[in-house]
Amino acid sequence: MAEFTMELNDEQKEVRDWLHGFAADVIRPAAAEWDEREETPWPVIQEAAKVGIYSLDFYAQQYFDSTGLGIPMAMEELFWGDAGIALSIVGTGLAAVGVLANGTEEQIGTWIPQMYGDANDVKVAAFCSSEPDAGSDVSSMRTRAVYDEAKDEWVINGTKTWATNGGIANVHVVVAVVDPELGSKGHASFIVPPGTPGLAQGQKFKKHGIRASHTAEVVLDNVRVPGSCLLGGKERLDERLARAREKAKAGGERVKNAAMATFEASRPAVGAMAVGTARAAYEVALDYARTREQFGRPIIDNQGVAFQLADMRTQIDAARLLVWRASWMAVNGKPFTAAEGSMSKLFASETAKTVTAQAIQILGGNGYTREYPVERMHRDSAIYTIFEGTSEVQRLVIARTLAGMPIR
């Protein structure tokens, strides 16, 4: 077990500086253009693939970093560059985590490479869980998967929404109900291979922020996938469902479902994304306050501005501490006895909204225009308090954990 530390080792510092350089030289110069276009920045993703950032190998190296700091460090630097483009680069990771968390070794080896493609032919993947009537309330999910034993196939019907890369993905990971009587415990995850008939993109959303990231509905109409596409396999699913039925009869504790397992593993990473956006806005505001003069002196000499910057920096550092702690705990198998993962996501996401708003205030009228990036950063920051569990849901998770109550 690696000891918890706030000091990156030499190798991690080298990776951090490399990522920072890519974010500064490639992502930031393209940010405004792709935000306006509201399109997937394929050229930037391809550049990331060419240098090795958008790849299974890089993601795995950071994911299996024994200190737990690889992923949050990488997320912070990329999202410091731009949230929309960074999400296009890392969005495939949520689907990959879904396979890593629930799949067999064979499934991991077969499907994750197909999610990324290669530098000459980049691909993306989508994790499809939310539905029009089932976002944070996963127990209300209606997408159904029925097993056709004669053909050893699963037939999936339903509509997913808010899917990053939905419809344009090479591989879709879809969460569906296999036993409606078990509620959220009767869910399973499925791979939908590329070119599978019946899967189509629905509405593409025009968003307030992260506009370079593709977000859309995914419609599944009698989608048939082989039995081998059930993550974890049929035998493991049957065993899990049998245990859930026994616990339901006995009134026992709840068990985790596939979607919740994926979200729990990714929440500190979302916190790190928020830290990156907050840090970027803070740095713009700090530089502006040092160089902008009013009444013959830099505005940072005014206590009202200086105190705002002091609060911004304090909140950012505190958010990073929570994110790194949760990431270290997750990698080292430490139980989240106080919902530390949700704490990190909650505090970091709220910090991003607060800090970006303060940055606009410090820049004044300039901050409200698209001539300066803090306007875009403020729009982007709103998503952190919404996706992968709203701030209200994070507070609910934390409160129920502290009270010793089950998480629904």
Side-chain angles (χ1 to χ4, degrees):
M1 180 187 298
E3 293 185 359
F4 179 66
T5 176
M6 290 300 297
E7 181 67 27
L8 298 177
N9 60 40
D10 290 341
E11 182 178 351
Q12 290 169 327
K13 290 177 182 177
E14 184 177 343
V15 172
R16 178 199 61 192
D17 294 344
W18 171 53
L19 291 169
H20 186 80
F22 183 85
D25 298 338
V26 180
I27 294 178
R28 279 204 168 179
E33 174 188 351
W34 291 99
D35 177 71
E36 290 288 345
R37 291 176 63 169
E38 298 191 52
E39 297 174 359
T40 301
W42 291 108
V44 183
I45 299 175
Q46 187 168 33
E47 286 299 310
K50 286 179 179 177
V51 300
I53 293 173
Y54 186 74
S55 70
L56 172 61
D57 288 344
F58 174 74
Y59 190 83
Q61 287 173 11
Q62 305 316 309
Y63 186 83
F64 292 110
D65 181 345
S66 62
T67 69
L69 303 185
I71 289 294
M73 177 265 295
M75 295 300 107
E76 180 176 338
E77 294 304 327
L78 292 173
F79 280 74
W80 171 90
D82 176 69
I85 292 178
L87 191 56
S88 290
I89 294 173
V90 308
T92 294
L94 185 58
V97 167
V99 176
L100 285 170
N102 303 296
T104 64
E105 290 186 9
E106 182 179 356
Q107 289 170 330
I108 291 169
T110 298
W111 295 111
I112 292 184
Q114 295 187 49
M115 294 179 174
Y116 289 91
D118 57 48
N120 296 317
D121 185 21
V122 293
K123 306 292 185 183
V124 294
F127 183 76
C128 306
S129 177
S130 294
E131 297 184 2
D133 296 318
S136 298
D137 182 11
V138 295
S139 63
S140 297
M141 190 176 294
R142 295 181 181 177
T143 296
R144 185 76 188 275
V146 178
Y147 185 55
D148 183 342
E149 189 171 359
K151 295 184 178 180
D152 186 27
E153 292 180 338
W154 288 89
V155 184
I156 309 174
N157 284 281
T159 299
K160 295 297 182 178
T161 193
W162 309 120
T164 298
N165 298 328
I168 67 170
N170 193 47
V171 177
H172 291 77
V173 177
V174 176
V175 182
V177 178
V178 294
D179 189 333
E181 294 183 1
L182 291 176
S184 62
K185 292 178 284 187
H187 295 177
S189 293
F190 299 85
I191 293 286
V192 180
T196 300
L199 184 146
Q201 178 183 311
Q203 175 188 6
K204 178 187 175 183
F205 296 104
K206 296 180 71 67
K207 305 189 298 295
H208 176 66
I210 55 166
R211 301 198 301 193
S213 174
H214 177 96
T215 310
E217 291 181 332
V218 174
V219 180
L220 303 112
D221 182 12
N222 286 323
V223 170
R224 284 183 169 268
V225 300
S228 60
C229 287
L230 167 64
L231 289 181
K234 186 73 162 55
E235 183 177 348
R236 188 190 300 179
L237 173 65
D238 289 342
E239 292 175 354
R240 179 166 64 82
L241 294 178
R243 289 196 303 270
R245 293 186 190 104
E246 288 300 317
K247 287 182 180 293
K249 289 180 182 178
E253 63 182 8
R254 297 178 183 269
V255 297
K256 294 179 182 176
N257 61 71
M260 288 301 292
T262 301
F263 287 138
E264 287 178 8
S266 62
R267 276 172 179 159
V270 175
M273 297 173 189
V275 171
T277 299
R279 189 183 114 212
Y282 160 77
E283 290 176 2
V284 172
L286 177 62
D287 182 66
Y288 187 88
R290 286 171 170 169
T291 56
R292 172 71 167 175
E293 291 192 0
Q294 290 286 289
F295 305 106
R297 61 178 183 174
I299 63 172
I300 198 171
D301 288 352
N302 297 313
Q303 197 174 72
V305 173
F307 279 12
Q308 283 192 74
L309 290 163
D311 286 343
M312 293 159 75
R313 176 60 185 267
T314 300
Q315 290 170 326
I316 291 166
D317 283 11
R320 185 184 297 109
L321 277 165
L322 287 170
V323 166
W324 283 21
R325 179 185 69 168
S327 300
W328 173 81
M329 291 176 68
V331 166
N332 287 280
K334 296 286 188 179
F336 287 170
T337 55
E340 289 86 350
S342 290
M343 281 185 186
S344 69
K345 199 265 186 185
L346 170 65
F347 189 82
S349 60
E350 294 291 344
T351 292
K353 286 185 67 174
T354 300
V355 167
T356 55
Q358 288 175 309
I360 289 177
Q361 193 68 24
I362 290 171
L363 269 68
N366 287 328
Y368 198 65
T369 71
R370 295 189 183 181
E371 295 299 314
Y372 287 80
V374 292
E375 177 271 340
R376 185 180 68 252
M377 294 169 183
H378 183 52
R379 286 189 286 108
D380 291 342
S381 70
I383 193 61
Y384 301 127
T385 63
I386 298 172
F387 71 176
E388 294 198 48
T390 65
S391 288
E392 291 75 21
V393 166
Q394 305 309 318
R395 291 185 175 98
L396 179 64
V397 170
I398 296 166
R400 293 182 72 88
T401 300
L402 296 178
M405 301 171 69
I407 307 301
R408 294 186 175 89

